[in-house]
């Protein structure tokens, strides 16, 4: 079992930056694909970014060039650096883990989420 706890959300003006963090429990973290998802009430959940166990990354087109995902395996930590934020980035952001080294497929574990609100 893996527990994930997000932090770092908040309110920011358009053009600003935020850094989300995710703390993971367990001793298999380094072997897992990790991802950041977001969801707005009434809409489908969207995968924002993912990072494989080998460090390969992928991004949704809407955030490419603005967001950066990274991981620190020594700290069992996952990060999402978000720059040039836009009002449409407003959502609940979730950290997720997939018990596989690669990121193609469903995620097994989810955090509780952290709210990001971007005002214009």
């Amino acid at each position: 079992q893996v527990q994930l706890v997000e932090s770092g959300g908040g309110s920011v003006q358009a053009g600003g930056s935020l850094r989300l963090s995710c703390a993971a429990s367990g001793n298999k973290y380094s072997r897992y694909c990790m991802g950041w998802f977001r969801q707005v009430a009434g809409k489908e959940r969207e995968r924002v970014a993912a990072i494989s166990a080998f460090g390969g990354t992928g991004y949704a087109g809407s955030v490419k060039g603005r967001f950066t995902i990274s991981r620190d395996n020594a700290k069992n930590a996952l990060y999402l650096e978000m720059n040039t934020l836009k009002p449409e980035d407003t959502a609940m952001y979730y950290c997720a883990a997939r018990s596989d080294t690669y990121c193609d497929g469903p995620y097994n574990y989810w955090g509780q989420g952290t709210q990001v609100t971007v005002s214009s």
Side-chain angles (χ1 to χ4, degrees), residues 6-98:
E6 304 96 335
S7 61
S11 297
V12 64
Q13 288 193 328
S17 299
L18 282 173
R19 187 192 197 207
L20 304 184
S21 298
C22 174
S25 66
N27 58 6
K28 297 182 179 178
Y29 173 79
S30 64
R31 306 180 197 175
Y32 290 173
C33 159
M34 299 296 297
W36 285 101
F37 290 73
R38 67 185 181 188
Q39 189 169 25
V40 176
K43 295 189 177 181
E44 288 192 3
R45 186 168 54 198
E46 172 191 26
R47 192 176 78 172
V48 173
I51 183 166
S52 75
F54 303 110
T57 59
Y59 297 91
S62 57
V63 306
K64 203 166 187 178
R66 300 188 297 120
F67 290 12
T68 302
I69 188 171
S70 61
R71 65 191 298 163
D72 185 338
N73 291 337
K75 296 181 178 180
N76 274 22
L78 180 73
Y79 306 103
L80 185 68
E81 187 75 36
M82 305 186 294
N83 297 315
T84 320
L85 282 161
K86 303 176 181 180
E88 51 264 43
D89 294 319
T90 296
M92 184 70 79
Y93 283 72
Y94 297 91
C95 171
R98 170 172 159 73

